[in-house]
Amino acid sequence: MRTDFRSIRVETADGIAVFRIHNPPVNQLSEHVVRELADAFAGAFREAAVQAVVLTGSGKNFVAGADITQIKDIRSREALLALLHENNRVLNAIETGPKPVVAAINGACLGGGLELAMACHYRVAAPGVDLGQPEVQLGLIPGAGGTQRLPRLIGLPNALDMITTGKPIRSEKALERRLVDEIAPTETLLQAAIRAAKGFLEGRHHLALRATRARHERLPSAAEKKALLDFARLMTAAKAKGYIAPFKALDAFERGLHFDIEPDLAMEAELFADCLFSNVARNLIGIFLHTRAAGRLPRIEGIPPAPVRTVGVLGGGVMGSGIVHLLVNEGLNAVLWDIDDAAVARGMAGLRATFDYHLKNKKITPEGLEALFRERLTCTTDLARLKEADLVIEAVVEDMAVKQKLWKELEGICRPEAVFATNTSALPITEMASVLGDPGRMIGLHFFNPAHRMQLLEVICARKTSDATLATSVAFARAVRKIPIVVNDGPGFYVSRQLSAFMGASVFLMADGVDPAAIESAVVDFGMPMGPAALSDLTGIDINYRVNKTFEMRLGPRWKVHPLTEAIYRTGCYGRKTGAGYMDYSGPQPVPNPKVAAVIQDYLKQHGVAPRQMPPREIVDVLLAAAVNEAAYMMEEGICDRPQDMDLAMVYGTGFPPYRGGILRCADRWGARPIHELLLELEKRYGPRFTPARRLAEMAREGRTFYPEGA
Ligand code: NAI
């Protein structure tokens, strides 16, 4: 029997062969691993001395999925179907083979990993490991029998839930649902699996009955199946708008789950192909891969980041308290500084409030929380206590003079290699750093509210930020599990300016007679979490107004505040915080605020504008064109240059629908030429806000795309 595999370690003792998959970093089922598995099993089935096989993984993973990089670029349906057919052949050979195979699930068992485990005849799992079919999160469905084997093991309702949401379950729940047959401590997992294998040899388990394909007892009757799937379709339609895969998974259940599994596997493969070749999957896979690569920049390649263990946080307000939560929760030491005892006490109260959810859901006990604070947190009003900090994050009031004074003082206190990071939303960081002897140590770390929950961290390089400062900041972001998007200093950095361009274009439509409610519903329908008016009411109409004013001042007439924006601002209705903005929040349900509605009506009357019906698609096109144009301006200005990072920032920072891939992904699919043409029309109608960027005009002329690989 062959044992010289690259990614499978084989040991045979006492008639049992143990196959240990070892394909770092996460034991993916890459093509060569599948090939080696096929060889290894064929060998074991032939070898008389082997009576049973135990299959396990190495490190923290059994198998954490297929290798998406290997399938994402397959362009031909035939090639894909051939690959899926081959994978199915390997799993079927295990399932229908002459010898028992026991999966010893030592760690994460996801996607192709679970499909592999389900093709085995018995499953023993270590405690607390994740088992799941997360494919829908990449716009796919399980493609190696998952949709057909999972319902056989755990019943359709549970399988439906796991596959359409993609959420994994822990081994304890898997045991309850009978996805695994036993749980055994990690240290004795292998022995337990070997014992189970011997159980087959000693007649306690029966191979033919244990094959998943032979288990029909939990499959629903035709009537049950129809009722379940009808209901699931309704629920999925409400929850998964814009996605394809959850619906394809339902199709796979509907058209499959027959007595004979073989045709059902072929049908599943066809549905998998439908998913893979959709734009939705392409976008979601792109987001997934770009997320993994975020922060890996040529500029800092090979530069070792400084270790960050202790972080000083200046200001325990809304942002500071969230940042401290993040730090202590991720195992770092935090020193929280604020101006006086009362401010520190407010900061502590705010910090505790950020843990309410965790306490309520028993993710931490009150004693555990106090112990965490005792162990990891120091509060102070004395800046000298920040002496040991490796990194200081400043989140005090948005005032340049206040911030600069603090930094100057800290320069005399902290070690010269400590990184200074500001969480300013809009102040120029290059200017802020100018008071320092070494401006190279300063950077922007722009957290989003709530800081402990939002995944995005916008990392802003000022003109003199050093590579070492950037490398440390990016490594810190990764260490606290944020997605770092690196951009250069400029008004609103990237995210605020991009979002302002997108949402802000709506005022031109309102001033042109388009009903604000129609704009809201078009934007929500497109997949944004809320429309421009709802967003303004949430962030504050006054804040948006000031942002717009700053853009006007720093970016010039193209960003001139629209007279209708001025008029709405002058009503003094600033949104939720004043009880009313575009909507009035005083009743049980928000209703349009008559004051703002009247201002809009007056404006239209004064300018002789008639109401204008506009299809939702056209509304969104105007907003998108404005956003794409702004992105092109920002690239021209050197604010950012990586489309993949820009798209991630919008997805993680603003809730841009991931299945659409991001603004630049949309732009590439739409085409620079039609966008440019639309912008020229809009410029004529609405003025310079829509004047196309030079870069976009060039792209249109030369037929280029934002992403190097195209649409
Ligand atoms: P906040 O008003 O909740 O907290 C401000 C903090 O500054 C408090 O801890 C306060 O005690 C302290 N402070 C007040 N006067 C001070 C002074 N003279 N010297 C030093 N400290 C003083 O503000 P928030 O919302 O936490 O914002 C803090 C920073 O984060 C600002 O620069 C803001 O632009 C930025 N930011 C805010 C976001 C948000 O959504 N709230 C999002 C991203 C950035």
Side-chain angles (χ1 to χ4, degrees):
M1 187 172 102
R2 217 189 119 189
T3 55
D4 59 332
F5 298 109
R6 197 169 117 205
S7 299
I8 303 172
R9 307 213 168 125
V10 180
E11 275 173 32
T12 307
D14 210 9
I16 314 275
V18 176
F19 294 171
R20 189 183 292 277
I21 303 174
H22 179 71
N23 186 31
V26 295
N27 273 354
Q28 279 175 337
L29 276 191
S30 313
E31 231 179 306
H32 80 274
V33 178
V34 177
R35 242 188 348 261
E36 291 191 344
L37 276 173
D39 268 12
F41 275 103
F45 291 162
R46 272 195 311 267
E47 175 73 49
V50 172
Q51 293 175 290
V53 179
V54 167
L55 179 64
T56 191
S58 57
K60 286 193 193 143
N61 297 291
F62 174 73
V63 167
D67 186 347
I68 195 67
T69 56
Q70 288 185 339
I71 48 175
K72 79 173 178 46
D73 292 327
I74 300 178
R75 286 282 168 271
S76 113
R77 198 172 174 101
E78 287 70 44
L80 175 66
L81 289 174
L83 178 82
L84 296 175
H85 178 75
E86 176 55 18
N87 290 348
N88 274 325
R89 194 190 63 75
V90 175
L91 296 196
N92 291 345
I94 296 173
E95 188 181 39
T96 59
K99 297 178 187 176
V101 181
V102 176
I105 303 170
N106 57 304
C109 178
L110 302 170
L114 183 55
E115 293 175 301
L116 175 61
M118 290 193 294
C120 299
H121 306 104
Y122 196 95
R123 284 155 291 279
V124 190
V129 303
D130 280 338
L131 298 100
Q133 300 281 184
E135 289 83 352
V136 285
Q137 291 169 0
L138 295 182
L140 302 172
I141 62 169
T147 64
Q148 304 303 312
R149 289 196 178 92
L150 193 58
R152 282 177 158 77
L153 291 174
I154 67 172
L156 183 55
N158 284 331
L160 212 152
D161 181 50
M162 278 178 75
I163 290 179
T164 57
T165 65
K167 289 202 186 111
I169 56 173
R170 287 280 159 94
S171 17
E172 293 70 19
K173 176 141 274 169
L175 178 68
E176 224 172 81
R177 292 187 177 171
R178 289 187 269 162
L179 177 56
V180 303
D181 303 287
E182 255 181 73
I183 293 189
T186 305
E187 309 76 54
T188 53
L189 181 72
L190 218 51
Q191 284 96 303
I194 291 172
R195 210 177 318 119
K198 289 191 172 156
F200 282 90
L201 309 178
E202 291 157 6
R204 274 180 282 126
H205 306 305
H206 298 281
L207 190 55
L209 299 180
R210 293 284 320 179
T212 305
R213 64 173 58 208
R215 306 200 21 205
H216 304 118
E217 70 277 6
R218 298 191 81 171
L219 287 181
S221 69
E224 281 167 348
K225 183 163 127 178
K226 181 171 182 333
L228 267 168
L229 291 176
D230 283 352
F231 181 66
R233 257 183 223 289
L234 279 177
M235 299 299 288
T236 309
K239 275 193 298 206
K241 211 169 111 250
Y243 290 85
I244 292 175
F247 301 96
K248 291 284 177 189
L250 295 177
D251 290 349
F253 297 135
E254 188 172 316
R255 290 164 51 189
L257 306 183
H258 295 108
F259 195 79
D260 177 9
I261 203 171
E262 297 283 346
D264 292 350
L265 294 176
M267 175 272 304
E268 182 197 69
E270 295 284 350
L271 293 175
F272 180 95
D274 294 347
C275 291
L276 184 71
F277 296 125
S278 70
N279 284 338
V280 172
R282 224 177 140 208
N283 291 337
L284 291 172
I285 293 169
I287 296 282
F288 170 74
L289 294 175
H290 297 327
T291 302
R292 277 207 317 208
R296 276 191 218 139
L297 302 173
R299 176 175 166 189
I300 50 172
E301 211 180 295
I303 299 178
V308 172
R309 289 192 196 91
T310 301
V311 182
V313 178
L314 306 176
V318 173
M319 295 308 290
S321 53
I323 295 169
V324 171
H325 174 130
L326 171 76
L327 297 169
V328 296
N329 213 29
E330 295 296 336
L332 298 177
N333 300 320
V335 183
L336 172 61
W337 173 91
D338 217 318
I339 29 172
D340 52 31
D341 290 339
V344 169
R346 276 197 302 276
M348 273 312 289
L351 173 60
R352 278 178 206 286
T354 62
F355 279 96
D356 280 353
Y357 170 85
H358 303 68
L359 288 166
K360 210 171 115 206
N361 290 288
K362 307 211 172 7
K363 294 197 186 295
I364 193 166
T365 60
E367 303 75 50
L369 185 60
E370 292 315 312
L372 185 69
F373 288 162
R374 262 196 316 278
E375 199 181 319
R376 302 241 170 259
L377 176 63
T378 311
C379 289
T380 184
T381 55
D382 178 5
L383 276 183
R385 296 287 294 274
L386 273 74
K387 199 164 136 230
E388 302 303 324
D390 305 302
L391 162 71
V392 179
I393 302 172
E394 167 276 307
V396 302
V397 280
E398 186 78 335
D399 180 316
M400 183 63 97
V402 169
K403 291 183 194 263
Q404 284 184 326
K405 183 163 168 281
L406 278 171
W407 288 127
K408 264 182 93 127
E409 223 172 303
L410 278 170
E411 197 172 32
I413 294 172
C414 295
R415 284 177 290 112
E417 59 280 12
V419 167
F420 286 176
T422 174
N423 182 43
T424 177
S425 345
L427 298 174
I429 300 172
T430 303
E431 184 187 331
M432 196 184 298
S434 66
V435 293
L436 294 175
D438 171 18
R441 74 194 305 186
M442 177 160 278
I443 195 157
L445 287 183
H446 185 210
F447 289 84
F448 290 76
N449 187 13
H452 56 293
R453 290 229 305 274
M454 293 288 284
Q455 280 180 286
L456 180 67
L457 183 58
E458 194 174 16
V459 178
I460 304 122
C461 291
R463 196 165 309 134
K464 294 194 175 153
T465 300
S466 72
D467 292 351
T469 298
L470 177 59
T472 300
S473 303
V474 165
F476 161 76
R478 280 290 181 193
V480 295
R481 291 191 290 163
K482 295 285 173 198
I483 297 161
I485 301 301
V486 180
V487 302
N488 287 323
D489 197 8
F493 317 129
Y494 171 68
V495 177
S496 289
R497 185 164 159 195
Q498 183 69 95
L499 188 63
S500 299
F502 183 58
M503 293 295 199
S506 58
V507 72
F508 293 90
L509 295 179
M510 276 195 298
D512 195 14
V514 181
D515 178 9
I519 302 176
E520 290 299 285
S521 73
V523 173
V524 171
D525 223 46
F526 175 74
M528 292 300 288
M530 58 187 94
L535 184 66
S536 277
D537 281 359
L538 194 66
T539 43
I541 288 181
D542 54 332
I543 305 258
N544 281 350
Y545 175 78
R546 279 203 297 274
V547 168
N548 197 162
K549 273 277 181 214
T550 312
F551 288 167
E552 178 181 326
M553 207 169 67
R554 292 175 64 192
L555 295 169
R558 200 170 57 80
W559 268 94
K560 189 169 168 33
V561 176
H562 194 285
L564 182 54
T565 304
E566 293 273 5
I568 293 173
Y569 169 70
R570 278 199 303 272
T571 61
C573 301
Y574 293 156
R576 283 180 181 268
K577 60 185 174 188
T578 60
Y582 284 92
M583 304 298 276
D584 184 330
Y585 298 92
S586 54
Q589 287 290 329
V591 290
N593 176 7
K595 248 180 164 173
V596 169
V599 165
I600 299 173
Q601 283 315 315
D602 284 354
Y603 178 93
L604 297 182
K605 212 185 282 159
Q606 258 175 30
H607 292 80
V609 179
R612 181 173 174 202
Q613 302 294 331
M614 203 171 182
R617 184 66 242 177
E618 280 179 35
I619 293 177
V620 172
D621 280 355
V622 171
L623 270 53
L624 263 182
V628 173
N629 196 28
E630 203 62 35
Y633 275 108
M634 284 191 274
M635 291 173 110
E636 240 172 71
E637 291 165 30
I639 304 289
C640 36
D641 61 355
R642 291 174 31 114
Q644 69 269 41
D645 284 357
M646 295 158 78
D647 279 348
L648 280 187
M650 286 302 279
V651 167
Y652 289 110
T654 74
F656 194 89
Y659 58 85
R660 295 197 187 273
I663 284 180
L664 301 186
R665 199 52 97 184
C666 287
D668 278 356
R669 205 153 286 138
W670 187 359
R673 205 161 291 147
I675 298 174
H676 183 249
E677 275 163 24
L678 176 60
L679 283 167
L680 289 175
E681 266 175 48
L682 293 170
E683 182 190 23
K684 252 190 240 143
R685 197 172 174 106
Y686 300 136
R689 176 72 65 84
F690 294 89
T691 306
R694 207 168 355 101
R695 155 130 8 174
L696 196 65
E698 275 164 25
M699 286 172 64
R701 213 170 31 247
E702 293 161 17
R704 273 190 291 128
T705 51
F706 284 101
Y707 281 84
E709 74 272 20

